[in-house]
Amino acid sequence: MARFQSFDDAASPAQGPERIARLRAELVRRGLHGFVVPRSDEHQSEYVPKNAERLSWLTGFTGSAGTAIVLQDKAALVVDGRYTQQAEAQVETSVIAPVQQAKTSVEDWIAANLPAGTALAYDPWLHTSEGLKRLEAAVDRAGGRLMPVDINLIDVIWIDRPPAPQAPVRPHPISHAGETIEAKLDRIRERLKKDKLDALVVSDPHNLAWTFNLRGGDVGHTPLPLGYALIPAEGQPSLYLDPAKVTNQAGAAVGGLADFAEPSAFAPALDALGGRGAKVRIDSGTGAVALARRIEAAGGKPDMGADPISLMKAVKNSTEIEGSKAAHRRDAVAVARFLAWFDREAPSGRLTEIDAAEALEAFRIETGALRDVSFPSISAAGPNAALPHYRVTRSTNRRIEANGIYLIDSGAQYEDGTTDITRTLVVGEPTAEMRDRNTRVLKGHIAIARAVFPKGTTGAQIDSFARRPLWEAGLDFDHGTGHGIGSYLSVHEGPQRIAKTGHTTLKAGMMLSNEPGFYKAGAYGIRIENLVLVEPRQIDGGDREMLGFETLTLAPIDLRLIEPTLLDAAETAWLDAYHAWVRETLSPGLDTHTRAWLEAATRPLG
Amino acid sequence: MARFQSFDDAASPAQGPERIARLRAELVRRGLHGFVVPRSDEHQSEYVPKNAERLSWLTGFTGSAGTAIVLQDKAALVVDGRYTQQAEAQVETSVIAPVQQAKTSVEDWIAANLPAGTALAYDPWLHTSEGLKRLEAAVDRAGGRLMPVDINLIDVIWIDRPPAPQAPVRPHPISHAGETIEAKLDRIRERLKKDKLDALVVSDPHNLAWTFNLRGGDVGHTPLPLGYALIPAEGQPSLYLDPAKVTNQAGAAVGGLADFAEPSAFAPALDALGGRGAKVRIDSGTGAVALARRIEAAGGKPDMGADPISLMKAVKNSTEIEGSKAAHRRDAVAVARFLAWFDREAPSGRLTEIDAAEALEAFRIETGALRDVSFPSISAAGPNAALPHYRVTRSTNRRIEANGIYLIDSGAQYEDGTTDITRTLVVGEPTAEMRDRNTRVLKGHIAIARAVFPKGTTGAQIDSFARRPLWEAGLDFDHGTGHGIGSYLSVHEGPQRIAKTGHTTLKAGMMLSNEPGFYKAGAYGIRIENLVLVEPRQIDGGDREMLGFETLTLAPIDLRLIEPTLLDAAETAWLDAYHAWVRETLSPGLDTHTRAWLEAATRPLG
């Protein structure tokens, strides 16, 4: 039994029709023709609390991204390519039609279906300014009107809606955070002054958690408290967190550095800021359009842009880096035990995807330090591994068969660091094609691991290094090569990325994943993921300040899936050195069986 | 004596003070405090006609980019890093202060120096909408006003201003163009309709030349006629070209497909379009703000965006591709003769940069087909080669010394194609460092030449392939890896680029340069440039549509500057195959001496 993840199929199509009918009745009562129901919550979070699961409550769809548009006479659920099949299975398609985003965007669907002269309603707390501009353009094309609602219409009709989460808010000790609240606030205020801003709305709870060295548990897998903060360039910041969840320790740790206030005091505080004519930075990625409206209506100047905290949080300090390394060493013991167990058990042919995910979680729990998994494990056998965002449920659960590939992408939340690792394993004999593809993915992984690049380089500039070995074979993968990662925070953290869209400059101290892959639909999938740390590199004879990556994750890469003749000497040397480091670091702390397994799993190729 | 390029130092600092004083008197007369003088002409062209050389007439500065701001009490010339030294040398610095753009932008200088309450004037035909927004923000910061002028103030005071150029406009025959005017207009109109646009302003003369299969000679090195065109989604296009320069052949070739009109009829035509409420696309890169203003004032809707012709023009048809290949074979004979001559003559130590540039031009003239050089040659010895945009003049002309590097970046305009090639040569013995750096540049060049990538890939995604071998040594180069190139048009053509900023998708038929480099300030510079053609690639076992490059340029790469142990087997194989192709293609058409030289210069390494 997994403690931190569920494999149940949540929601069911049956509930949709009645709830949609109730929503339509509410629309009629208000003289509205339709309502937009995004998956996002007030903070545009990846994981949302139960009381913000409006989309799944209404439609039955439980994917992590999607938008429903319910009109009087028709309704659509627009989802991206990851969720096409899932949407078909989870919703009552006779009442709400699943629509593929790549073919018809939310905006295109609205433009084509909203009758001219009618009003489409939306909740201004669930859309960013950018998102709203797109909705406006769509409604314009339809000849309709866009109408904000004061209270979300789903909340009006959702009888048993759960209360807002109230997980305790606790301090994140300086021994893990590495920088005091005071020092962080000084840096933020300095930045606000430099940018001639009077205040910052912290709409991203990750940034609130980082700034005030607080952690919570309001959403799954990310230890943060939901709430807002206001940080003026001069004077005392305010934290809008339900007092019922703020522990005494958290209050004491923040001390006199910020005021705690009721969440209900947040909107009036925006009005007050606006009333003073303040220029207020609102994060364009996570800030709801309601924030800007409120400030503007009161006479202030909303300034849409990046919350400067995001970039500060992305660059880890030495305490966070040491914490992450300790977390990785700890996690690696659990992962090594799991991999050894897998090699022992999988040949029986009896293991399922859920068995494996539960086993890995159990090994992590045995570290004694696991706070949560950092996301539900992607435990995928055979063709399921070809779905990069697969999540196993009781109904999709496959047996792990011989001569096939098994992929597990998982991570842990420890108080000193967050981990994220993917390994691709073979049971029995791989085909020559599998070895070829896996080796190309590995070559791409090594190209990132070994990359050196000048200060000022973005993730976009190095992303193709991970793809080149696949491109040479006429292949590619359809996701980014790497995402940022938090320090006992979100497993997906911006703004840095290694991806076509990664336009943030990489800086020493940033942490990212390095995870190229290959997916053969209906057959198998491959991904090799380690976390890496950006670090300065001194190169003799060079004339530029250079950066490179230090790999943080410790786990063998399956040698049975490597075709050694495809590796050049430098790549083989990297792999052997990596495996030697893994062996030397982990062996002393392992049981005899796992140590023997590790010895074999990390034997040199060269 | 070169026919197509001059090595004279044009302009002189002495003329500046008196002309600036005259401009100030004119400003006083009009109640204005200052005037902005950009280098650009009405079309934002790279090469501008003599009558648009306002910046050099006013200040003495002849660089290809820069902006003067003349106020009553002070004046500045803002230039980028390429032109810092040149600006210092060419202008009377006691009257107009050279300013480095990287330190102080035009906008920052205006914000800091324009007195509050005063008016800064500008010519709306010389600024794009984007550029004007930046100027407006700067003037706002200063508390001043921005005022358009009806006639450029330089034109008012420039007594002997040359007339507008009137080079004959001739048809570009279908045997070179490969697509009829009619077919091109059909594609453009279809695109306008798809984008719900009523008309297109063709503000870029390259796009006018391409669409109407016309060529001219109004500016240096690019065979285009200056002028505008209007293309409505329905109905007859109009060409606004001085009738005195339109030849009968051009008139006959365009036939009934477009009307010819006086340039003076252009502005009224914009008014008429606006008066009909038309939605008119204006190219945001080359369209003057005056265009949008005029259309808007008359009641129309200017739509700023990309001129769709740019992307059509970038994808060469099979006739243009065959023409380019013929042009490259022809040019290669001249280049091979030059390189053989250089190796024979340079060891004497008597050759200068100008001698070499003249010799290469002479060999090109001897092809019998040269219409112009495609840009003034960068003929650079020793430390001059460390300046990527160096242009030799009588005062900078260096002797080509033994044991040093000589770099020549040059190109030709033939009616069937435009060329652009850079070779880096050594006289005597290179140092080990020179060989190392040159080999790394070559490795980058080969990485681009051999790149295969999926359809949909941008130039930005592959740019770093050219840099990786330098990055590994702590080095880099500070320019893009490649630019697009025209078909008997501009040597620099967009929108495709291989550069950090190259966000245009590469398509089969596009032509680009492949020109990584390395520059050691005060010592030497290296660049290896071939032109390449994007072509489809079929890869067995692949699952994606792939693209790659076919190299078009034929000339030996100096083996004396290569450290063979730094090349891997695939790189050596590429170089040997390239050299074999050069040798086999060129040898039959060469004189005995050059053929023998080529044999040695292309000997295999492997």
Side-chain angles (χ1 to χ4, degrees):
Chain A
M1 267 294 290
R3 190 194 302 171
F4 294 112
Q5 42 194 336
S6 147
F7 307 106
D8 295 330
D9 299 298
S12 81
Q15 68 201 20
E18 185 267 332
R19 292 173 181 180
I20 288 171
R22 256 197 279 160
L23 174 59
R24 284 182 172 142
E26 187 62 32
L27 287 168
V28 167
R29 198 163 13 250
R30 292 168 184 254
L32 299 166
H33 189 80
F35 188 55
V36 184
V37 185
R39 198 269 179 175
S40 48
D41 70 353
E42 289 79 348
H43 307 281
Q44 302 284 321
S45 307
E46 181 172 4
Y47 296 108
V48 306
K50 290 234 177 309
N51 71 327
E53 291 276 15
R54 298 179 181 96
L55 183 64
S56 93
W57 180 85
L58 182 72
T59 67
F61 172 71
T62 60
S64 71
T67 301
I69 312 112
V70 177
L71 304 182
Q72 282 302 341
D73 52 340
K74 58 182 81 165
L77 170 65
V78 183
V79 295
D80 64 47
R82 289 174 289 171
Y83 290 121
T84 313
Q85 288 180 306
Q86 184 175 332
E88 293 279 352
Q90 290 188 319
V91 310
E92 177 51 59
T93 56
S94 65
V95 172
I96 182 160
V99 168
Q100 277 186 265
Q101 191 175 47
K103 291 189 188 154
T104 309
S105 67
V106 169
E107 290 75 27
D108 288 340
W109 194 90
I110 291 171
N113 290 287
L114 183 73
T118 66
L120 180 69
Y122 71 98
D123 178 349
W125 286 95
L126 302 190
H127 299 264
T128 63
S129 299
E130 285 301 312
L132 198 73
K133 271 184 208 152
R134 291 192 298 271
L135 276 188
E136 273 165 358
V139 169
D140 266 2
R141 277 157 65 197
R145 300 188 309 284
L146 203 54
M147 293 279 287
V149 288
D150 286 337
I151 177 166
N152 192 293
L153 301 187
I154 304 298
D155 301 356
V156 172
I157 61 170
W158 185 349
I159 309 293
D160 299 320
R161 183 171 172 240
Q166 291 200 329
V169 182
R170 299 207 165 85
H172 188 52
I174 190 73
S175 55
H176 292 323
E179 185 179 8
T180 63
I181 305 170
E182 201 158 12
K184 290 178 177 180
L185 286 172
D186 281 350
R187 287 207 280 152
I188 295 164
R189 289 194 191 102
E190 193 184 322
R191 184 56 205 254
L192 294 178
K193 285 174 196 160
K194 212 178 140 200
D195 291 350
K196 303 201 164 86
L197 295 164
D198 299 309
L200 168 69
V201 174
V202 184
S203 51
D204 182 344
H206 303 82
N207 290 359
L208 184 158
W210 179 86
T211 305
F212 297 96
N213 290 343
L214 296 174
R215 294 298 185 270
D218 285 343
V219 299
H221 316 307
T222 309
L224 53 76
L226 291 174
Y228 290 96
L230 280 179
I231 304 180
E234 304 274 2
Q236 191 83 340
S238 300
L239 282 168
Y240 301 90
L241 294 170
D242 187 339
K245 69 184 179 186
V246 180
T247 61
N248 287 340
Q249 299 97 303
V254 171
L257 295 169
D259 298 326
F260 285 91
E262 290 276 356
S264 59
F266 177 56
L270 295 175
D271 299 341
L273 257 182
R276 291 198 297 277
K279 188 169 175 192
V280 184
R281 168 60 53 86
I282 296 170
D283 184 52
S284 47
T286 64
V289 68
L291 300 169
R293 294 252 175 96
R294 195 107 194 185
I295 290 168
E296 201 156 29
K301 293 184 207 120
D303 181 87
M304 306 309 299
D307 178 344
I309 298 172
S310 299
L311 200 53
M312 296 179 190
K313 172 167 109 274
V315 177
K316 271 58 180 174
N317 61 45
S318 59
T319 304
E320 291 172 314
I321 291 169
E322 288 316 309
S324 173
K325 289 181 178 178
H328 275 94
R329 284 191 299 269
R330 182 183 314 119
D331 200 49
V333 171
V335 170
R337 292 180 66 197
F338 166 77
L339 293 172
W341 168 88
F342 183 88
D343 274 5
R344 200 168 61 230
E345 299 293 333
S348 75
R350 284 194 303 269
L351 285 188
T352 67
E353 294 168 342
I354 290 178
D355 294 336
E358 287 182 335
L360 177 52
E361 186 181 312
F363 286 118
R364 283 190 163 123
I365 288 171
E366 287 181 26
T367 65
L370 186 71
R371 292 290 165 268
D372 198 340
V373 296
S374 59
F375 60 98
S377 295
I378 297 172
S379 173
N384 284 344
L387 307 169
H389 297 272
Y390 176 68
R391 181 176 156 255
V392 53
T393 67
R394 307 254 168 239
S395 64
T396 65
N397 192 22
R398 282 183 77 93
R399 224 163 262 292
I400 299 166
E401 288 168 5
N403 306 325
I405 269 179
Y406 170 71
L407 179 155
I408 183 153
D409 185 349
S410 71
Q413 291 285 9
Y414 303 107
E415 284 187 20
D416 48 2
T418 304
T419 70
D420 185 4
I421 170 173
T422 309
R423 285 298 180 269
T424 305
L425 311 171
V426 68
V427 182
E429 270 305 305
T431 64
E433 183 193 274
M434 288 174 187
R435 286 161 63 95
D436 176 273
R437 302 308 187 245
N438 184 73
T439 309
R440 290 180 187 278
V441 171
L442 175 62
K443 286 167 78 79
H445 180 95
I446 295 173
I448 296 293
R450 293 184 61 226
V452 284
F453 45 88
K455 244 177 112 166
T457 299
T458 65
Q461 288 180 267
I462 62 169
D463 175 65
S464 298
F465 289 176
R467 301 177 192 276
R468 184 149 71 158
L470 288 163
W471 286 359
E472 286 172 356
L475 309 168
D476 198 3
F477 57 93
D478 293 324
H479 57 72
T481 299
H483 55 79
I485 189 151
S487 274
Y488 191 44
L489 269 177
S490 176
V491 74
H492 293 146
E493 185 180 278
Q496 78 278 21
R497 298 191 68 199
I498 302 174
K500 192 176 164 179
T501 54
H503 299 305
T504 298
T505 294
L506 298 177
K507 288 187 181 357
M510 284 181 169
M511 282 181 196
L512 298 119
S513 68
N514 169 12
E515 50 177 315
F518 170 76
Y519 308 93
K520 183 165 179 173
Y524 62 90
I526 289 163
R527 189 159 64 253
I528 302 174
E529 177 187 25
N530 283 342
L531 297 190
V532 295
L533 167 71
V534 182
E535 57 168 17
R537 280 289 165 82
Q538 186 62 46
I539 297 180
D540 284 349
D543 62 11
R544 311 247 165 170
E545 285 187 74
M546 305 297 290
L547 299 169
F549 294 117
E550 177 184 354
T551 292
L552 300 170
T553 305
L554 299 111
I557 292 166
D558 197 337
L559 294 170
R560 298 163 298 192
L561 275 167
I562 295 173
E563 175 49 55
T565 60
L566 281 178
L567 298 180
D568 67 26
E571 290 163 341
T572 304
W574 182 90
L575 184 68
D576 287 349
Y578 174 70
H579 274 157
W581 172 63
V582 171
R583 190 172 57 242
E584 285 154 23
T585 309
L586 299 186
S587 287
L590 295 179
D591 59 273
T592 319
H593 167 77
T594 307
R595 193 182 310 133
W597 172 88
L598 184 66
E599 192 73 29
T602 58
R603 66 190 180 278
L605 284 183
Chain B
M1 267 293 289
R3 190 194 303 170
F4 295 112
Q5 44 194 337
S6 147
F7 307 106
D8 295 329
D9 300 296
S12 80
Q15 68 201 19
E18 184 268 333
R19 292 173 181 180
I20 288 171
R22 254 197 280 160
L23 174 59
R24 285 183 171 142
E26 188 61 31
L27 287 169
V28 168
R29 197 161 18 249
R30 293 166 183 255
L32 298 166
H33 188 80
F35 189 55
V36 184
V37 185
R39 197 268 178 175
S40 48
D41 72 351
E42 289 80 347
H43 306 281
Q44 301 285 321
S45 306
E46 182 171 2
Y47 296 108
V48 305
K50 289 232 179 312
N51 71 327
E53 291 275 14
R54 298 180 182 96
L55 182 64
S56 92
W57 179 84
L58 182 71
T59 67
F61 172 71
T62 60
S64 71
T67 301
I69 312 112
V70 176
L71 304 183
Q72 282 302 342
D73 53 341
K74 58 182 81 166
L77 171 64
V78 183
V79 296
D80 63 48
R82 291 175 289 173
Y83 290 122
T84 313
Q85 287 179 308
Q86 184 175 331
E88 293 278 351
Q90 290 187 321
V91 309
E92 177 50 60
T93 55
S94 66
V95 172
I96 183 160
V99 168
Q100 277 185 267
Q101 193 174 46
K103 289 187 190 159
T104 309
S105 67
V106 169
E107 290 74 27
D108 287 339
W109 194 89
I110 290 171
N113 290 287
L114 183 72
T118 66
L120 181 69
Y122 70 98
D123 179 349
W125 287 95
L126 302 190
H127 299 265
T128 63
S129 298
E130 284 301 312
L132 198 72
K133 271 183 209 152
R134 290 192 298 271
L135 275 188
E136 272 166 357
V139 169
D140 266 2
R141 278 157 65 197
R145 299 187 309 283
L146 203 55
M147 293 279 288
V149 289
D150 286 337
I151 177 166
N152 192 293
L153 301 187
I154 304 298
D155 302 355
V156 172
I157 61 169
W158 186 349
I159 308 294
D160 299 320
R161 182 169 173 241
Q166 291 200 329
V169 182
R170 298 208 165 86
H172 188 53
I174 190 73
S175 57
H176 292 323
E179 184 179 8
T180 63
I181 305 169
E182 202 159 12
K184 290 178 179 182
L185 286 171
D186 280 349
R187 288 206 279 152
I188 295 163
R189 289 193 191 103
E190 193 183 324
R191 182 58 204 253
L192 294 178
K193 285 174 196 159
K194 211 178 142 202
D195 291 350
K196 302 200 162 88
L197 295 164
D198 299 310
L200 169 69
V201 174
V202 184
S203 51
D204 181 344
H206 302 83
N207 290 359
L208 184 158
W210 179 85
T211 305
F212 297 97
N213 290 343
L214 296 174
R215 294 296 185 270
D218 286 343
V219 299
H221 316 307
T222 308
L224 53 78
L226 291 175
Y228 290 96
L230 280 179
I231 304 181
E234 304 275 1
Q236 190 83 340
S238 299
L239 282 167
Y240 300 90
L241 294 170
D242 187 340
K245 68 185 179 186
V246 179
T247 62
N248 287 339
Q249 298 97 301
V254 171
L257 295 170
D259 298 326
F260 285 91
E262 291 276 356
S264 60
F266 178 56
L270 295 176
D271 299 341
L273 258 183
R276 291 198 297 277
K279 188 169 175 191
V280 184
R281 169 60 52 87
I282 296 171
D283 184 51
S284 48
T286 64
V289 67
L291 300 169
R293 294 247 175 100
R294 195 107 195 184
I295 289 168
E296 200 157 29
K301 294 183 207 121
D303 181 87
M304 306 309 298
D307 178 344
I309 298 171
S310 299
L311 199 55
M312 296 179 190
K313 173 168 109 273
V315 176
K316 271 59 180 173
N317 60 46
S318 59
T319 304
E320 291 172 313
I321 291 169
E322 288 316 309
S324 174
K325 288 180 177 179
H328 275 94
R329 285 190 298 269
R330 182 183 315 117
D331 200 49
V333 171
V335 170
R337 292 181 65 198
F338 166 76
L339 293 172
W341 168 88
F342 183 87
D343 274 4
R344 201 167 60 232
E345 299 293 333
S348 74
R350 285 194 303 270
L351 286 187
T352 67
E353 294 168 342
I354 290 178
D355 293 337
E358 287 182 336
L360 178 52
E361 186 180 312
F363 286 119
R364 284 191 163 122
I365 287 171
E366 286 181 27
T367 64
L370 187 72
R371 292 290 165 271
D372 198 340
V373 296
S374 58
F375 60 98
S377 295
I378 297 172
S379 174
N384 284 343
L387 306 169
H389 297 271
Y390 176 68
R391 181 175 155 256
V392 53
T393 66
R394 307 254 169 240
S395 65
T396 64
N397 192 23
R398 282 182 76 92
R399 224 164 261 291
I400 298 166
E401 288 169 3
N403 306 326
I405 270 179
Y406 169 72
L407 180 156
I408 182 152
D409 185 349
S410 71
Q413 291 286 7
Y414 303 108
E415 284 187 20
D416 47 2
T418 304
T419 69
D420 185 3
I421 171 174
T422 309
R423 285 297 180 270
T424 305
L425 312 170
V426 67
V427 182
E429 269 306 305
T431 63
E433 184 192 274
M434 288 174 185
R435 286 161 64 96
D436 176 273
R437 302 309 187 242
N438 183 74
T439 308
R440 290 180 187 278
V441 171
L442 175 62
K443 286 167 79 79
H445 180 95
I446 295 173
I448 296 295
R450 293 183 61 226
V452 285
F453 44 89
K455 242 177 112 167
T457 299
T458 65
Q461 289 180 265
I462 62 169
D463 174 65
S464 298
F465 289 176
R467 301 177 192 275
R468 184 150 70 158
L470 288 163
W471 286 358
E472 286 172 356
L475 309 168
D476 198 5
F477 57 93
D478 292 325
H479 57 72
T481 300
H483 54 79
I485 189 150
S487 273
Y488 191 44
L489 269 177
S490 176
V491 74
H492 293 146
E493 186 179 278
Q496 78 278 22
R497 299 190 68 201
I498 303 174
K500 191 176 163 179
T501 54
H503 298 305
T504 298
T505 294
L506 298 177
K507 289 188 179 359
M510 284 180 170
M511 282 182 195
L512 299 118
S513 67
N514 169 12
E515 51 177 315
F518 170 76
Y519 308 93
K520 184 167 178 170
Y524 62 89
I526 290 163
R527 191 160 61 252
I528 301 175
E529 177 186 26
N530 283 342
L531 297 190
V532 295
L533 168 70
V534 182
E535 58 169 16
R537 280 288 166 82
Q538 187 62 47
I539 297 181
D540 284 348
D543 62 11
R544 312 246 167 171
E545 286 186 73
M546 304 297 291
L547 299 168
F549 295 118
E550 178 184 354
T551 292
L552 300 170
T553 304
L554 299 110
I557 292 166
D558 197 338
L559 294 170
R560 299 163 296 191
L561 275 167
I562 296 173
E563 173 49 54
T565 60
L566 280 178
L567 297 179
D568 67 27
E571 290 164 341
T572 304
W574 181 90
L575 184 69
D576 287 349
Y578 174 70
H579 275 157
W581 172 63
V582 171
R583 189 171 60 240
E584 285 154 21
T585 308
L586 298 185
S587 286
L590 295 178
D591 60 89
T592 319
H593 168 78
T594 307
R595 193 183 309 131
W597 172 87
L598 184 66
E599 193 73 29
T602 59
R603 68 188 179 279
L605 282 183

